[in-house]
Amino acid sequence: MATITLAGDPIQTCGDLPAVGSMAPDFTLTDVNLKDVGLADFRGKKVILNITPSLDTGLCATSAKTFDEAAKKRDDLVVLNVSADLPFAQQRFCQAEGIDNVKTLSMMRDRHFAKDYGVLVETGPTAGITCRAVVVIDESGKVCHTELVPEIKQEPDYQAALKALD
């Protein structure tokens, strides 16, 4: 269990992010076409998991846009934005914001992802959705960088995540 904050107030997550050097847990999430998608679908590519509470907030939108720009520059990278938002809302968001290099995935059918990655918020007003975190995974499925953002209203360290790709 990790402690983070929301506007300075402590809240608890269900666990810890996967350890750097470990194999990233596989998952089954839902894409905008309502198809099941797993980490194994991206084997052979570098993956950034941009885990956000909801794309329907300014900070989460900024995070998705920032990683979208980074993904435009790399053929070896896929950015997966994971949130509790419904796929329909995720698709509307991406269309409205001109985001086309980030794949959005929803936890609507399965919350195992949030538990397996240690990002499920268990206390406070956002209990039941994810905290803000970034996990970078190499082509073989090994975790090479993690960041649990200590304050939900804070942006992740984009440069550290992008540097971990090299």
Side-chain angles (χ1 to χ4, degrees):
M1 182 179 296
T3 300
I4 56 173
T5 58
L6 173 62
D9 294 327
I11 56 177
Q12 303 294 312
T13 67
C14 69
D16 297 309
L17 293 171
V20 171
S22 69
M23 294 304 290
D26 200 3
F27 51 77
T28 302
L29 297 169
T30 307
D31 73 7
V32 297
N33 298 309
L34 302 178
K35 293 184 181 174
D36 289 342
V37 175
L39 182 59
D41 295 325
F42 304 102
R43 188 79 69 210
K45 290 234 178 209
K46 296 175 182 184
V47 175
I48 293 178
L49 296 177
N50 182 37
I51 304 163
T52 61
S54 171
L55 288 173
D56 197 24
T57 66
L59 189 55
C60 295
T62 297
S63 176
K65 290 177 202 176
T66 301
F67 281 124
D68 183 66
E69 285 299 315
K72 287 180 184 177
K73 301 172 186 169
R74 297 190 68 132
D75 292 334
D76 64 338
L77 173 64
V78 62
V79 177
L80 305 176
N81 201 100
V82 180
S83 72
D85 298 303
L86 293 175
F88 315 109
Q90 291 174 333
Q91 186 175 33
R92 277 193 306 274
F93 166 80
C94 288
Q95 288 171 343
E97 298 294 334
I99 294 174
D100 52 7
N101 295 291
V102 167
K103 296 183 184 305
T104 55
L105 298 175
S106 173
M107 299 184 317
M108 71 178 221
R109 291 187 188 136
D110 190 350
R111 300 293 168 135
H112 289 283
F113 169 85
K115 291 178 182 176
D116 292 346
Y117 277 79
V119 295
L120 182 67
V121 175
E122 293 191 322
T123 63
T126 59
I129 61 174
T130 63
C131 57
R132 186 177 315 285
V134 176
V135 178
V136 180
I137 303 165
D138 72 12
E139 303 89 337
S140 69
K142 191 177 289 185
V143 176
C144 53
H145 171 80
T146 63
E147 178 188 9
L148 177 64
V149 180
E151 164 60 50
I152 287 182
K153 293 184 175 187
Q154 175 184 327
E155 291 182 67
D157 185 344
Y158 304 111
Q159 293 307 313
L162 297 171
K163 185 176 180 180
L165 295 169
D166 298 325

